[in-house]
Amino acid sequence: MCMALIVQKFGGSSVKDAERINNVADIVTSTYKEGNDVVVVVSAQGDTTDDLIEKAAEINDKPSKREMDMLLSSGEQISAALLAMAIERMGYPVVSLLGWQAGFDTTSDYGNARIKRVNATRIEQELDKRRIVVVTGFQGVNRFGDMTTLGRGGSDTSAVAIAAAMHADLCQIFTDVDGVYTADPRKIPGAIKLSSISYDEMLELATLGAQVLHNRSVEMAKKYNIELEVLSSLTRRKGTIVKEESNVEKMLISGVAKDDNIARISILGVPDKPGLAFKIFSRLAAKGINVDIILQSIGRNGTKDISFTVDKNKMDDAIALLQQNAEKWGASNIVSDDNVTKVSIVGAGMETHPGVAAEMFEALFSRNVNIQMISTSEIKISVLLNKADGDRAVEAIHEKFFGQ
Ligand code: ADP
Ligand code: ASP
Ligand code: MG
């Protein structure tokens, strides 16, 4: 009498205390009662992951990544067991599983592992027994049999991976807001809830700083064509659907996002001749340093400047590498600034509408915000700003495109 296979993911705030866990147990068991197979993915309670990171720092300021994952994966274990106990107490059959028990094979990259495959045999066996299956998000096991984690916010990706591996009928991401908005609704009170958004736009928003979904979860949902619903575990209102085509809203811009995890590095006074960009960026790539916005000045008096942005946590590595090579490349100086932020607008509509960039820049000008760097693609425009201008900039841009 099984109606459907439903994957439901609950984030940290949805399981932060006993009351919230009981609320989640209510949602899960009512889905189960309707005759569905239910796989639940949970994150660590509240700020547990941050607290564990702090605890580690008290003991060792450079712990090995392996031990860090051993520690961080414990947060999700607590939530999974507690939720299973709540469901048990309500009288339903349930089992909780850790990442390795649920078949999450990952790469060995501790702290940022990628899911290679989900062997869902154990989950299937449990579902066949008509059990509700609670799985820890954010974690898996590598080829050495060691625990790995998927990167901050990675539980969303765990949920989508199960949905993809098991061909689930529905994948619901329950969080503390009732959908995807045109900007972070906690910061922009006028933000508008979207009834749907396309994978491509959601992927850009998530990558550009909208933390509501882990970007790799969106990438995977797109790849396997899994429709996602982002909704609140508290209001039970209809959420936002993330799917191939969002035909409901034909909006020019679907959202504004901000990313503070960024730093700018400039190599000044390098000779204006062929091959330097190649040398610089291939060395960075070889070190696994991802470069985002790149800006090169035109040559003047035989020299030029090259600036680019990297994730804040890669800044020191990037500077060290450049300094080692500065003399060889003929650079006069290397400067950096992590007091910056990146503000972006995303929208499939901008591809066919000229003038969107000008409107964004006008909004910034209206608040006297200076732009340091600009980058564009078919469906996004990003600007690098002084960090102190970030919130004002998002506000002004949101107001420009969506009104107050
Ligand atoms: P969870 O713990 O459930 O995974 P997260 O904190 O990771 O929740 O993500 C939800 C948060 O994302 C919201 O509380 C909200 O502040 C933030 N957010 C940022 N941008 C957006 C957006 N465009 N739409 C909705 N929420 C957003
Ligand atoms: N608990 C992990 C984190 O805080 C994973 C997640 O919440 O998705 O990043
Ligand atoms: Mg999250």
Side-chain angles (χ1 to χ4, degrees):
M1 73 153 211
C2 167
M3 285 173 67
L5 171 60
I6 300 179
V7 177
Q8 298 185 315
K9 180 260 171 178
F10 296 89
S13 52
S14 299
V15 293
K16 72 170 185 193
D17 54 27
E19 192 189 337
R20 293 279 174 93
I21 288 181
N22 284 324
N23 170 60
V24 169
D26 278 338
I27 297 174
V28 169
T29 52
S30 44
T31 311
Y32 175 86
K33 262 190 300 199
E34 287 162 8
N36 302 300
D37 281 341
V38 189
V39 181
V40 187
V41 175
V42 285
S43 297
Q45 292 186 281
D47 297 327
T48 300
T49 310
D50 291 323
D51 296 344
L52 290 171
I53 291 171
E54 264 174 43
K55 274 203 166 78
E58 285 168 16
I59 302 280
N60 181 341
D61 59 5
K62 275 217 176 336
S64 69
K65 289 182 163 183
R66 181 196 180 276
E67 296 310 329
M68 207 56 199
D69 275 5
M70 190 68 182
L71 179 70
L72 294 192
S73 55
S74 69
E76 272 66 15
Q77 178 166 359
I78 295 173
S79 316
L82 291 175
L83 176 60
M85 289 176 196
I87 295 172
E88 237 171 31
R89 196 187 43 91
M90 292 171 71
Y92 291 88
V94 60
V95 62
S96 67
L97 300 175
L98 292 173
W100 65 269
Q101 294 173 302
F104 274 83
D105 286 342
T106 74
T107 59
S108 290
D109 195 9
Y110 297 108
N112 196 27
R114 290 188 167 254
I115 299 167
K116 290 200 290 195
R117 80 186 198 116
V118 181
N119 174 356
T121 316
R122 174 76 189 270
I123 299 180
E124 275 157 11
Q125 285 166 356
E126 300 295 350
L127 291 175
D128 285 345
K129 295 181 194 151
R130 275 304 282 151
R131 287 183 174 149
I132 295 168
V133 182
V134 182
V135 179
T136 51
F138 183 52
Q139 57 172 255
V141 63
N142 65 17
R143 67 193 169 93
F144 308 113
D146 288 333
M147 303 285 266
T148 54
T149 65
L150 308 179
R152 297 305 304 271
S155 295
D156 300 327
T157 302
S158 310
V160 177
I162 291 182
M166 303 190 70
H167 306 287
D169 300 286
L170 182 62
C171 183
Q172 295 180 305
I173 308 288
F174 288 87
T175 181
D176 57 357
V177 288
D178 60 2
V180 179
Y181 281 70
T182 50
D184 186 341
R186 296 187 187 285
K187 303 235 174 79
I188 304 290
I192 302 159
K193 185 168 134 187
L194 304 169
S195 59
S196 70
I197 183 168
S198 69
Y199 293 128
D200 288 334
E201 289 168 293
M202 189 65 238
L203 182 56
E204 288 287 4
L205 279 178
T207 305
L208 294 167
Q211 72 173 75
V212 62
L213 284 176
H214 193 226
N215 62 350
R216 273 155 51 198
S217 73
V218 185
E219 206 171 62
M220 194 179 294
K222 177 179 160 75
K223 184 166 170 195
Y224 296 100
N225 202 23
I226 310 281
E227 228 175 78
L228 305 179
E229 183 181 9
V230 178
L231 68 173
S232 161
S233 59
L234 293 172
T235 67
R236 309 209 178 179
R237 249 180 254 139
K238 215 170 146 1
T240 300
I241 305 289
V242 186
K243 58 182 183 177
E244 188 59 49
E245 272 302 320
S246 100
N247 36 21
V248 185
E249 267 116 352
K250 279 275 175 246
M251 296 199 301
L252 187 57
I253 302 298
S254 55
V256 187
K258 179 164 81 79
D259 184 0
D260 291 340
N261 175 30
I262 193 164
R264 192 195 66 226
I265 299 176
S266 301
I267 310 165
L268 305 178
V270 288
D272 187 19
K273 61 178 194 197
L276 258 170
F278 161 64
K279 283 178 193 155
I280 294 168
F281 294 111
S282 57
R283 290 303 285 269
L284 289 164
K287 274 255 170 198
I289 299 170
N290 234 337
V291 169
D292 183 24
I293 310 177
I294 300 177
L295 187 73
Q296 178 178 294
S297 70
I298 55 165
R300 222 190 308 155
N301 304 327
T303 67
K304 63 190 174 189
D305 305 332
I306 298 179
S307 302
F308 57 89
T309 60
V310 293
D311 277 4
K312 208 175 251 181
N313 58 3
K314 295 283 183 180
M315 183 174 85
D316 292 342
D317 288 352
I319 293 173
L321 187 145
L322 297 177
Q323 267 161 354
Q324 279 162 21
N325 293 282
E327 208 175 317
K328 191 169 70 196
W329 292 336
S332 62
N333 202 2
I334 288 159
V335 296
S336 63
D337 185 358
D338 65 356
N339 203 15
V340 292
T341 186
K342 182 170 70 174
V343 172
S344 310
I345 55 175
V346 171
M350 69 173 76
E351 216 174 342
T352 48
H353 281 78
V356 175
E359 278 190 60
M360 181 185 188
F361 303 155
E362 186 187 7
L364 294 171
F365 173 53
S366 76
R367 304 279 173 106
N368 208 23
V369 171
N370 187 42
I371 303 172
Q372 299 183 9
M373 292 169 107
I374 300 170
S375 94
T376 65
S377 79
E378 284 101 340
I379 68 165
K380 70 148 205 255
I381 302 168
S382 298
V383 291
L384 193 79
L385 311 172
N386 201 321
K387 194 166 177 183
D389 290 335
D391 287 333
R392 271 189 314 133
V394 173
E395 226 174 73
I397 294 167
H398 192 273
E399 199 177 304
K400 180 91 192 164
F401 288 100
F402 300 101
Q404 275 194 313

